[in-house]
Amino acid sequence: MSPHIPHQLTGQMPAPWAVAVLALAWGTFQSSALPRMAECGVSCSKGFICKSRMNRNIANSFCQAPPTPVSRSVLEALTLSTAMKCASRSGCSLHLRVHASLRLLESLRGLEVCSMSLDTQETQCQSVWVPRASRRQQVQQQLQVRFDCFEVGVAQRLHVTLTTVPHFCGVQLDQLYRVEDCSDEDVGRHVADCSARKLSYWVNRRRKAFEVQVSGTPGDTDYYVRLCLRGFTCEDAGPPVRVKASRGSRNVSLPYSQELPCLCLEGWSATPDAVRSQVCPFEDDLEVLWDDVRYHPGSQALSWEPACPVNGHISLCRRPWPGAPCHELEHSAREAQGTVRYPLVDTQPQLCLKFSSRLNFWVRCPFAGRRFPAWKMTVEPGPSQGLLRAAFLSPGPARFQARLCHRRATGRPACHRRLETTPLLPAVSDPAEDTVSAVVDIPQDEACAPDICIQSLGVWGTGCWWPQ
C-alpha cells in the first residue's frame, strides 16, 4: 500500500457470504458500545452494610504499619471500564467504573479507590467502609464494591489505586487506564466534547510527515492540530497549526524528525477548555528506544537515555555467545524511568542490557559490535613543512605520552623513541564533545618510514597509528 493513501473501504457490492460477515461485524459493534448508566453511585455485595464518601484529595495516601501482618492478597481484584451517562439535552458524559474486592479482616474497615489524571494531576478518591457491628459478623468474607461516580474526560489517561482503610503500607493495587477517545464510534456520536469536526490522518513515511485532513460542517469553530512528545505532559514537537472553519476542508502537513513511541498528533477546537484528542501512531514501536545507550569512558559509566518515557524494566545481563540466552546479573534490575545509569562498567563484549516491557523484551550488547574508545588520536600536517602533528582528544582532562614504534612480525611493536607531548588547557566547550588535551609534532620522514607507527599512551589505554 502506498504511503500516500490512507486505509479505505471500497464500495463494491458484497457477496452473499460477505453479507453474513458484515452482519456479524455489526453485531460485534453493537455489543462493543459502552454500557449506559442512569445515576452514579456505589454498591456493595449482598449482605454487607456499607457507607461511602467522595472527596477530591488523597486523604488516605499516608500508609501505616499494620498491627498484625497483612498480605497484599487481601485486595483480590481491581477491574476498570468506562460507562456512559446520557441526558436528553446536554448529551452524554463518561464515567470510570471500578470493580474492587477485599477479603475483610478484623484490622480492616473497608477500601478506597483514587483516580488521578496524568494530564491535569486532579485526583478523585472514594472510600467505602463497613460499620463495626456489621464488620464483626463478616470477618474473612469477600467484600465486593462497584464505584461509578468518577467522571472522566475523552482520551484521559488515569492512574488508579486501590488501598485498604486504614491504608497499610505495601497493601495496594495500581493500574493505568486510558479512556476511549473520539475515534470510538459510540463516544464520537454521543459525547458533546467530540465536536462535529472530524480529523483524519495518515503517515507519509517517505516525506516523514503526518498528512492531516480536518473537515466539518457550517457553524464549526476553528481547529488546532500539532505534534507533541507525550510524557508527564505533551510537549510541543512543532508549532500548532490553526485550521480555519471558513473552509469546508483543509489538508495540513506536519513534518517529524524521528518515529518515536511518544510522538503524538493532537487536535482540539479553538474554544476555551476544549478537550484535546490524541493519537500516537508509533506508541507500540518501543524497540527504537533501546538504541539510546551511551558509554562515558571517563567515569566508565554505561547509561540508557531514552528519548521517550516508557514503562518497563532494565537490567544488566551476560550473553556468552551471540544468540545465547542472556543471564541477568544479580541486583542490576532497575525501573525504566528516565535515565538509567550503571557506574564502573567493564567493556566486555558479553555484557548486555536487557529491556522488558508489557509487549516483549529486547537485548542490546553495546560492546559486541562496536568500540567505545576513551580517547582519540588524529594525525594531520604540522605547523611547518616536514612535520606531522598528532592531537589527542578526550572527553575530560587527561595526560598522554607518545612513542615511535617499529612493527615486528609477531608480538607487540618495538617502541624505541619517546616523543614530548605538549599539554593544552581545556577550552570552554560542550562537555559532551571531545576536546584536544595534548599535541606532539613528529618529523614526517621518521613517522612515515616503513613499518613505523605512532604509539599513544593515555590514562585509559594504549593505541597505535600507522601512516598510510
Side-chain angles (χ1 to χ4, degrees):
M1 181 173 290
S2 168
H4 300 281
I5 303 175
H7 296 284
Q8 295 180 345
L9 295 176
T10 55
Q12 299 177 353
M13 181 67 70
W17 61 267
V19 174
V21 173
L22 289 173
L24 176 61
W26 175 251
T28 302
F29 164 73
Q30 290 286 77
S31 64
S32 66
L34 297 180
R36 285 352 189 223
M37 49 185 284
E39 296 294 336
C40 75
V42 177
S43 60
C44 291
S45 49
K46 187 176 180 180
F48 280 87
I49 300 174
C50 291
K51 296 183 178 181
S52 65
R53 180 176 59 196
M54 188 83 172
N55 57 70
R56 291 184 175 268
N57 55 62
I58 312 177
N60 197 34
S61 60
F62 299 104
C63 67
Q64 58 184 279
T68 57
V70 176
S71 170
R72 182 174 178 268
S73 63
V74 299
L75 296 174
E76 297 179 324
L78 174 63
T79 306
L80 309 176
S81 60
T82 308
M84 189 177 290
K85 179 183 175 185
C86 299
S88 57
R89 295 183 178 180
S90 57
C92 299
S93 59
L94 299 178
H95 290 252
L96 177 68
R97 178 169 283 177
V98 182
H99 288 262
S101 63
L102 165 75
R103 181 165 51 87
L104 202 60
L105 304 179
E106 290 184 6
S107 57
L108 301 179
R109 298 194 298 272
L111 50 79
E112 181 173 78
V113 172
C114 289
S115 171
M116 182 183 74
S117 168
L118 296 180
D119 303 306
T120 65
Q121 303 306 298
E122 182 184 10
T123 300
Q124 304 177 64
C125 295
Q126 187 151 18
S127 56
V128 164
W129 67 95
V130 180
R132 180 178 300 178
S134 175
R135 191 166 67 244
R136 288 174 177 172
Q137 302 172 7
Q138 293 163 318
V139 171
Q140 296 297 330
Q141 298 298 310
Q142 185 188 59
L143 169 64
Q144 296 187 24
V145 184
R146 189 185 77 181
F147 306 86
D148 53 18
C149 283
F150 294 105
E151 188 167 354
V152 293
V154 174
Q156 198 169 27
R157 295 179 301 140
L158 305 170
H159 178 225
V160 181
T161 59
L162 173 65
T163 58
T164 58
V165 176
H167 180 189
F168 290 143
C169 299
V171 185
Q172 178 171 315
L173 294 181
D174 300 83
Q175 276 195 42
L176 294 176
Y177 187 75
R178 183 176 175 85
V179 181
E180 290 79 357
D181 59 26
C182 294
S183 64
D184 181 275
E185 190 74 20
D186 197 20
V187 174
R189 284 186 177 185
H190 299 102
V191 178
D193 286 334
C194 294
S195 63
R197 186 172 295 275
K198 301 296 181 182
L199 182 148
S200 60
Y201 78 98
W202 61 95
V203 180
N204 187 333
R205 283 186 162 88
R206 183 178 63 83
R207 294 185 55 217
K208 298 187 73 172
F210 286 85
E211 308 295 346
V212 184
Q213 185 179 61
V214 181
S215 60
T217 59
D220 281 345
T221 60
D222 291 355
Y223 202 79
Y224 284 102
V225 291
R226 68 162 183 162
L227 293 182
C228 60
L229 294 175
R230 188 171 69 187
F232 193 68
T233 60
C234 212
E235 299 181 359
D236 281 330
V241 177
R242 184 164 185 154
V243 181
K244 294 291 185 179
S246 55
R247 302 186 61 178
S249 66
R250 181 179 173 184
N251 296 333
V252 176
S253 183
L254 301 176
Y256 63 87
S257 58
Q258 187 179 2
E259 295 183 5
L260 294 171
C262 57
L263 181 65
C264 303
L265 172 64
E266 188 174 68
W268 69 98
S269 296
T271 56
D273 300 323
V275 172
R276 300 192 177 199
S277 296
Q278 287 180 1
V279 60
C280 308
F282 315 119
E283 62 183 340
D284 291 332
D285 300 338
L286 299 178
E287 192 167 0
V288 65
L289 300 179
W290 311 143
D291 295 326
D292 294 333
V293 178
R294 304 286 184 269
Y295 181 66
H296 310 271
S299 60
Q300 294 180 280
L302 185 67
S303 65
W304 175 61
E305 305 170 16
C308 295
V310 61
N311 292 319
H313 295 83
I314 181 172
S315 61
L316 294 174
C317 64
R318 184 178 181 277
R319 174 178 275 176
W321 60 84
C326 203
H327 304 288
E328 291 188 21
L329 301 185
E330 192 175 1
H331 306 307
S332 68
R334 304 283 190 275
E335 289 285 340
Q337 295 178 351
T339 298
V340 176
R341 187 179 179 90
Y342 293 98
L344 299 177
V345 171
D346 191 7
T347 59
Q348 299 180 18
Q350 295 83 14
L351 185 66
C352 306
L353 288 167
K354 183 177 181 179
F355 306 91
S356 304
S357 77
R358 62 180 176 84
L359 298 175
N360 208 332
F361 73 90
W362 296 264
V363 174
R364 289 291 186 272
C365 304
F367 308 114
R370 52 179 173 161
R371 299 180 60 196
F372 288 84
W375 50 269
K376 305 174 188 176
M377 179 176 67
T378 63
V379 179
E380 299 177 349
S384 59
Q385 189 174 4
L387 293 177
L388 293 176
R389 170 160 287 186
F392 305 97
L393 300 90
S394 72
R399 296 187 306 273
F400 292 91
Q401 297 178 2
R403 293 186 295 184
L404 286 180
C405 304
H406 186 273
R407 186 191 342 231
R408 296 186 295 190
T410 59
R412 295 182 177 180
C415 300
H416 50 86
R417 180 181 170 187
R418 182 173 175 176
L419 306 170
E420 293 296 329
T421 61
T422 304
L424 299 179
L425 293 175
V428 178
S429 62
D430 185 345
E433 297 292 332
D434 295 329
T435 57
V436 177
S437 295
V439 297
V440 61
D441 294 328
I442 310 165
Q444 186 170 348
D445 56 351
E446 292 186 39
C448 295
D451 296 327
I452 291 294
C453 75
I454 304 169
Q455 185 187 64
S456 54
L457 296 89
V459 292
W460 298 300
T462 301
C464 215
W465 179 81
W466 300 90
Q468 300 297 320

